[in-house]
Amino acid sequence: MNYSIVENGDKIIVKTNDFDPIHIFECGQCFRWNREEDFSFIGVAFGKILNVKKEDNCIIFSNTNLDEFNDIWFKYFDLGRDYSKIKKKLSKDPILKEAVNFGSGIRILNQDPFETLISFIISANNGIPRIKKSIELICKRYGDCIGEYNGKKYYSFPTPEVLSKVSMDELRECSVGFRDRYIYSAANMVANGEIDIYNLKYLSINGARDTLMKFPGVGPKVSDCIMLFSMEKHGAFPIDVWVKRVMEYFYLKEDTSLKKIQVYGQEKFKNLAGFAQQYLFYYARELGIGK
DNA sequence: GGGCAGGTCTAAG
DNA sequence: CTTAGACCTGCC
């Protein structure tokens, strides 16, 4: 991809056109980034606090340094991938062309698999504000305080070992509702080595999906989110209500089962299905398509 | 108060 | 294998 990186104090400045914090953090893939008054975003990932701001075609990463940027954020923001190329390919489809144009700064983050597993278990039949609230409570109560930024303390996501020792009653206090037993089981299955979530990325997409669905509370949609947002399985095609609506509205023209939409999407977009899903999701939700 | 929100589980055809 | 109903919780 076409970009340059400059270090300046605690800031790293990257020039690129395929990066918009609003698109990236509000396209449904992550829950720990919050918009500030100056339209920058502050978030935590891999135990570090970062501020991200866009000014013209420059992206300014604050509260970091070049080593940390290379170790963590380059991969996290998928900066080694050429999104112009992906967008060009997808834009051959007239509907995707609109969606890509609308969310032109979307990038698919490379998040931590365990955090992504628990976060998307919480997301089931839930709303974004409450998902975020639950995750923050879990981090505050069971994660480590990793420092202060602008006078506010930030906390890491707890490890499988720590979370596996949290009781279901304590989880309920984080307002996760009926998902308490799912989180409890999932954390224990990871902590006791029953499922090696950190090596699932080496399996095929179907192999990884079958394994992920052994976790209680993980069905087809959640498993595909985990694969797409933390395992670089870009052939995954998670279908939530918005993707169902937009697919029926533009392509299928009738009420269609989730299973059929998933097969349709994967066959139509192939190894770019996950990217297509993100552009379509953002487009549909922001514009309220099909509601 | 009943409905709804980034689905999944369960029980039944 | 496909399809209804229930489900925590908190804000309309």
Side-chain angles (χ1 to χ4, degrees):
Chain A
M1 90 179 236
N2 193 17
Y3 62 86
S4 65
I5 298 176
V6 176
E7 184 176 26
N8 182 359
D10 78 331
K11 300 184 195 312
I12 301 291
I13 300 159
V14 176
K15 270 193 185 180
T16 172
N17 288 315
D18 306 317
F19 192 123
D20 189 325
I22 294 173
H23 297 167
I24 291 171
F25 298 130
E26 295 183 354
C27 70
Q29 59 180 326
C30 56
F31 302 103
R32 298 208 65 197
W33 292 87
N34 295 303
R35 189 151 81 183
E36 301 295 297
E37 285 183 0
D38 66 352
F39 283 83
S40 70
F41 285 79
I42 299 178
V44 174
F46 295 100
K48 299 290 178 183
I49 311 162
L50 187 73
N51 180 299
V52 182
K53 185 170 193 205
K54 181 179 170 70
E55 285 184 10
D56 299 322
N57 65 339
C58 285
I59 312 302
I60 303 164
F61 301 88
S62 303
N63 197 44
T64 186
N65 58 59
L66 193 54
D67 284 342
E68 183 185 291
F69 185 81
N70 288 329
D71 285 347
I72 297 175
W73 303 119
F74 186 87
K75 181 70 179 173
Y76 183 78
F77 287 104
D78 208 24
L79 291 171
R81 196 179 309 281
D82 186 349
Y83 278 73
S84 295
K85 211 164 135 185
I86 292 167
K87 291 190 284 186
K88 198 173 172 185
K89 279 188 188 170
L90 287 175
S91 295
K92 287 177 186 167
D93 178 291
I95 294 151
L96 253 299
K97 186 174 183 173
E98 289 291 313
V100 162
N101 192 43
F102 189 80
S104 62
I106 288 176
R107 308 184 75 83
I108 295 183
L109 301 171
N110 291 123
Q111 303 180 69
D112 175 77
F114 180 66
E115 177 175 339
T116 308
L117 166 70
I118 301 299
S119 297
F120 279 89
I121 285 176
I122 294 171
S123 80
N125 192 28
N126 210 341
I128 295 172
R130 279 213 11 258
I131 298 167
K132 293 179 78 166
K133 184 190 162 195
S134 290
I135 293 172
E136 286 317 307
L137 278 171
I138 288 172
C139 292
K140 193 164 187 173
R141 292 177 64 155
Y142 310 112
D144 295 325
C145 181
I146 54 171
E148 244 180 73
Y149 185 71
N150 286 352
K152 191 171 181 288
K153 286 183 178 173
Y154 289 86
Y155 299 83
S156 62
F157 195 88
T159 62
E161 291 69 31
V162 170
L163 198 58
S164 69
K165 293 186 178 71
V166 175
S167 71
M168 289 198 267
D169 285 339
E170 290 174 298
L171 288 168
R172 271 291 166 112
E173 292 170 16
C174 302
S175 44
V176 297
F178 61 87
R179 307 164 194 83
D180 57 353
R181 62 192 181 91
Y182 301 155
I183 298 169
Y184 181 83
S185 299
N188 277 275
M189 288 165 76
V190 174
N192 69 25
E194 195 174 327
I195 293 179
D196 184 3
I197 195 172
Y198 288 95
N199 283 313
L200 287 185
K201 61 181 172 186
Y202 300 114
L203 298 184
S204 68
I205 187 162
N206 290 324
R209 183 184 289 124
D210 289 345
T211 308
L212 284 168
M213 284 178 61
K214 289 179 181 166
F215 287 113
V218 177
K221 189 270 178 183
V222 169
S223 70
D224 275 36
C225 284
I226 298 165
M227 288 195 290
L228 185 57
F229 305 139
S230 73
M231 297 176 184
E232 297 189 85
K233 295 292 181 198
H234 299 121
F237 194 71
I239 300 163
D240 52 67
V241 286
W242 288 107
V243 175
K244 178 168 159 51
R245 285 171 187 156
V246 75
M247 290 299 287
E248 288 172 347
Y249 185 81
F250 284 123
Y251 296 99
L252 298 152
K253 310 290 184 187
E254 61 181 351
D255 190 37
T256 311
S257 73
L258 294 170
K259 183 75 189 164
K260 283 180 182 166
I261 300 176
Q262 176 160 63
V263 171
Y264 182 92
Q266 295 204 67
E267 287 179 354
K268 184 171 186 61
F269 304 118
K270 302 196 167 57
N271 62 330
L272 298 181
F275 298 101
Q277 190 270 3
Q278 283 307 98
Y279 293 116
L280 287 170
F281 171 82
Y282 185 68
Y283 186 60
R285 197 189 59 185
E286 294 298 308
L287 269 48
I289 287 169
K291 192 169 181 181

